[in-house]
Amino acid sequence: MTDIVFPSWPDVAPKLISVAAGRAFADTVIRQGKWVNVHTREVLADHDIAIVAGRIAYVGPDASYCTGPDTQVVEANGRFMIPGLCDAHMHIESGMLTPAEFARAVIPHGTTSMFTDPHEIANVLGLDGVKYMHDEALMQPVNIFTQMPSCAPSAPGLETTGYEISPEDVAEAMSWPGIVGLGEMMNFPGVANADPKMLAEIAATQRAGKTVGGHYASPDLGPNFAAYVAGGPADDHEGTCEADAIARVRQGMRSMMRLGSAWYDIESQITAVTEKGLDPRSFILCTDDCHSGTLVNDGHMNRVVRHAIACGCDPIVALQMATINTATHFGLERDIGSITPGRRADIILTSDLTELPIETVIARGRIVAESGSIKVDCPHYDWPDSARGTIHLGHELGAKDFEITAPEGANGVTVNVIGMVENQAPTKALKADLPVLDGLVEGEGDTMQIALVERHRATGGVTNAFVSGFGYQGKMAMASSVAHDSHHMIVVGTDREQMAMAANRLAEVGGGVTLFRDGEELALVELPIAGLMSDKPATEVAAKAQALGEAMQACGCSLNNAYMQHSLLALVVIPELRISDLGLVDVRTFQKIPVIESVT
């Protein structure tokens, strides 16, 4: 591994002092810009920034005294100088990209710090997978901090993962140089019930002086929520309404409000600040999940900040929520998150604080992007063969594997159905009356089949159920080896033969997403690394993802970013209904329920 060694503040303090005192010249000076100070919520015109050894030595009205003949001078020309943007909670794998290609995609959008939880790959490859992600992250020209995944499986007893994360794994990872804390603690019933394994992971993190990430996806704000907070999680990104945000910050947590490719939870929560007047320093912006199409076409954290402003947030307050608030939460306020002495020189030049065009991006003191074009290399890790070829079905699947047999003599049945909710992670627990033909339950109208195909241990297992909300028509099926969090394979379709074709195709290519209609493959996104990521450039992956979206629309699906919701249908820690390799799960009660409820 050729990681970039970046010096700490004490490592370079003599250089910082010499430049600030005028005894030495800066490496770079940004001249005559508007300094956006996120500590004081001020905009100060006609200021300079002096940089040496990748850190800020001086911010003030005139840095000419430390500008030498070899100093690089960047003319701000009156533009705003804002801190590089921080994504407080995200999963790189959701972009279908490796850390290197994810960094390449987001740097031009002004993201210079990311707090990533690689629990997707942890479910497939265990601690080794986390280490691969961590090592490639350290190689990048921006700051990618890794949170050690906490929950693989996320709901013990309700799913089977490729690997399990143990408290010993967590304790080991806390000693790695790029680990900043524990990833989202999704097993909220485990914490509320004082599960020894969950508490051991939290304890290892707290004793290492690092931050415990939260994930409380229940609407219950009573004793269970109180018990969860008492267990130690320090933040939460699963809130969907103002009451959720207020409850969290009142209990000393940070409310992380997300805008991902398919999760739109800022508008409904930011009113806690804009209307209720709560202190904004307890609120943080994040993306959680962004696919490559969003990154290439719409942006990253710049998109989130713009959205918060459009929802009525003061622009500088929104910037605080994407810079200093995040840094403070993770104990890194003295290293990132503001344009002040000693901090990493992560700076954006922009001509408008509301529209936020990202014109120049400086990371660690050097220009990394200008006018949407990246100017640096993002080195790749040499991924081993063990990280590829992870789709193990056990046998070639056929239409029979996707049959749902009705009780003998039944002409119709009432079934439990997973109901999609556009732009939200939660689903609805619905019921539908379906016909029985030749002893098999058949989908009807918008109610179609969903299957969870085991892909880690070649068991040949297939769990079948029903889903509604996609709107697919004709004989089609879509399969994905991205299936949060256990990452088996999710297949949704209107025809069992097409479902088998789609699943077998992913086994053939080593993972990804494919869509079949009438026996023809309409779209394919290859994800050979753990069945989750491509090491191709974001533009290539985004083009294939766009073709997938167009194919979904051609089959009748009009949902916004429906692929993201498809990939979450196995996430057995978010209500109401989910599917796992062990059956249909009611996440309100954390119990398995039958697919067929009664005979009609």
Side-chain angles (χ1 to χ4, degrees), residues 193-325:
N193 290 305
D195 176 83
K197 180 181 177 183
M198 297 299 98
L199 297 191
E201 292 185 3
I202 292 173
T205 306
Q206 291 175 321
R207 288 179 179 132
K210 300 180 188 294
T211 305
V212 177
H215 169 117
Y216 186 80
S218 170
D220 177 9
L221 296 177
N224 285 333
F225 174 64
Y228 183 74
V229 177
D235 56 61
D236 185 65
H237 57 274
E238 290 296 337
T240 59
C241 63
E242 182 186 89
D244 288 340
I246 291 173
R248 284 147 177 79
V249 299
R250 281 180 176 166
Q251 295 296 321
M253 301 178 86
R254 260 51 175 232
S255 172
M256 289 186 174
M257 302 177 294
R258 63 185 171 185
L259 178 73
S261 291
W263 326 134
Y264 286 62
D265 296 319
I266 291 175
E267 186 173 7
S268 61
Q269 296 184 88
I270 204 165
T271 51
V273 173
T274 59
E275 295 179 11
K276 292 293 191 295
L278 270 62
D279 188 337
R281 290 299 295 271
S282 292
F283 294 82
I284 291 172
L285 298 176
C286 70
T287 64
D288 199 355
D289 297 298
C290 277
H291 70 62
S292 54
T294 300
L295 302 179
V296 170
N297 300 314
D298 300 327
H300 189 232
M301 282 305 296
N302 56 333
R303 169 178 175 259
V304 181
V305 173
R306 287 188 199 115
H307 177 71
I309 295 168
C311 291
C313 189
D314 177 273
I316 302 181
V317 172
L319 284 173
Q320 287 178 312
M321 293 178 180
T323 58
I324 191 63
N325 293 10

Side-chain angles (χ1 to χ4, degrees), residues 66 85 101 130 200 238 250 302 329 368 429 456 464 513 592:
C66 56
L85 302 178
E101 290 302 326
V130 177
E238 290 296 337
R250 281 180 176 166
N302 56 333
H329 177 59
V368 293
H456 297 310
N464 289 293
V513 194
K592 289 182 286 184

